[in-house]
Structure formats: C-alpha cells, structure tokens
C-alpha cells in the first residue's frame, strides 16, 4: 500500500497511477494563542513511556512507525504533548515550525474535549503573530467543528488517496493529519 495527499485537480493523474480516493482533507489556518491554563493531564510526550505512545499511534497509521515517531516528537522547533489520564494515553499532538508558520500534526484524541485541550495547549506554544495550519479529514465532523470554533479558516482541500486498499484508521479520533510526511 502506498498513500498520498494530492491536490484535488490532479486526482485523474493519480488515478492513472493506480491511486483511489479514500477521503478529502481540508487545510485550516489560524494563529498562535495567548498562554492558556493547561490541564494537569496535558504532559510532554517525552515524559511518557514510548511503548504507550507507539501503541496509541498505531490506530491512526497503516503501519508501525517507531523510528519516525521517535524523531517526530523530538524534532527541533517543535512541541509534543499528550493527554495522560489514569495511566493511559488518551490523545496526543505535535506542533512544529515549518516553512511558513507552524503545522499542528498529528492531533489524535479519544474525545472532542481532549482534542480541544491539546489544540489550545499546542497553539499557546506558537507566537501570536505566527500562522498555524492543521489538515483535517473532512469525514470527521468533530475535527471540522474544532477548527471552526477555534477561529481557523479553510484554505484548500487535498485528497487522501491510496494505491491498494485504504487502511482502516480511527478517523473519528483523528483531528489533525500528518500530511505530506505520512511516515
């Protein structure tokens, strides 16, 4: 299986290459935030057992990716946070500097409330003047609602496409996609 996030206008070209659309994504743009009161359950991912993070991450990606994940949560100019409750990871997210502004990806959470708390804590680590981008699977209405209630604006769509069967992912708990760097 091979996946890509492609511009909608090129879908016919991707289909000729054997790719089929699984869903659409929408890129949203917002801004950094003032410091927020952070829930005590929001913790640095580096403080958590890595095996718990890898197990949680497996629901959102088609193959295990421990080397990618280790590098991803420790990259320079980034912040990685998780929601740790009752000895379990119930959500996590990463915000990182990119060519323009910051990208919030992935953002995975068991509930909309956890997603919102992680989103706010991550955006509070971005300077107020900097843009924040998040790619949302449009099939997750709670993710779209989060982006809109946080004052983000839709900028453009992409199509998640796969060569071979699309993997079964926990899309209802996936709020921000890791795009163009699937892993």
């Amino acid at each position: 299986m091979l996946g890509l996030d492609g511009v909608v206008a090129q879908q016919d070209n991707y289909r000729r290459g054997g790719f089929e659309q699984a869903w659409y994504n929408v890129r949203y743009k917002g801004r950094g935030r003032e410091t927020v009161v952070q829930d005590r359950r929001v913790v640095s991912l580096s403080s958590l057992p890595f095996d718990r993070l890898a197990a949680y991450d497996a629901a959102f990606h088609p193959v295990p990716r421990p080397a990618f994940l280790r590098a991803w949560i420790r990259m320079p100019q980034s912040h990685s946070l998780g929601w740790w409750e009752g000895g379990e990871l119930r959500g996590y997210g990463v915000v990182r500097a990119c060519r323009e502004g910051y990208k919030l990806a992935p953002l995975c959470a068991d509930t909309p409330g956890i997603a919102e708390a992680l989103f706010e804590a991550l955006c509070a680590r971005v300077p107020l003047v900097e843009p924040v981008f998040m790619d949302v699977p449009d099939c997750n209405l709670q993710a779209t609602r989060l982006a809109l209630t946080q004052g983000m604006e839709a900028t453009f769509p992409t199509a998640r496409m796969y060569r071979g069967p699309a993997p079964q992912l926990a899309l209802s708990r996936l709020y921000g996609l890791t795009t163009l760097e699937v892993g």
Side-chain angles (χ1 to χ4, degrees):
M1 165 192 22
L2 184 61
L4 63 81
D5 290 302
V7 294
V8 176
Q10 293 296 319
Q11 277 188 317
D12 288 338
N13 290 333
Y14 304 136
R15 281 191 188 91
R16 284 192 286 277
F19 289 90
E20 292 299 323
Q21 178 199 330
W23 67 82
Y24 285 107
N25 306 316
V26 177
R27 176 161 291 171
Y28 286 89
K29 179 180 179 182
R31 293 269 171 210
R33 300 292 168 89
E34 295 285 339
T35 302
V36 296
V37 176
Q38 186 171 296
D39 190 290
R40 65 176 173 69
R41 294 168 288 193
V42 175
V43 299
S44 170
L45 280 182
S46 62
S47 71
L48 300 178
F50 182 79
D51 62 327
R52 298 283 185 84
L53 173 58
Y56 189 83
D57 184 70
F60 307 100
H61 298 91
V63 297
R65 54 187 204 142
F68 177 86
L69 192 55
R70 279 185 205 281
W72 194 252
I73 65 170
R74 293 187 177 120
M75 76 180 102
Q77 298 181 325
S78 73
H79 300 277
S80 56
L81 301 174
W83 182 279
W84 187 253
E85 184 177 1
E88 295 296 326
L89 184 61
R90 302 212 35 231
Y92 86 95
V94 177
V95 68
R96 64 177 171 83
C98 57
R99 191 168 41 108
E100 178 190 353
Y102 287 75
K103 181 85 179 278
L104 201 158
L107 178 59
C108 312
D110 291 353
T111 69
I114 292 172
E116 182 176 28
L118 288 168
F119 178 95
E120 290 177 351
L122 289 162
C123 286
R125 286 159 170 80
V126 173
L128 290 172
V129 298
E130 292 290 331
V132 175
F133 299 94
M134 185 169 71
D135 294 339
V136 172
D138 77 344
C139 54
N140 182 341
L141 299 179
Q142 293 293 336
T144 300
R145 185 172 292 123
L146 172 66
L148 294 173
T149 61
Q150 291 294 327
M152 299 184 94
E153 295 179 2
T155 60
F156 67 87
T158 60
R160 176 62 59 103
M161 301 179 83
Y162 291 96
R163 183 183 295 157
Q168 297 299 309
L169 306 177
L171 291 172
S172 66
R173 297 185 298 137
L174 185 55
Y175 291 77
L177 294 156
T178 310
T179 58
L180 304 176
E181 61 272 307
V182 175

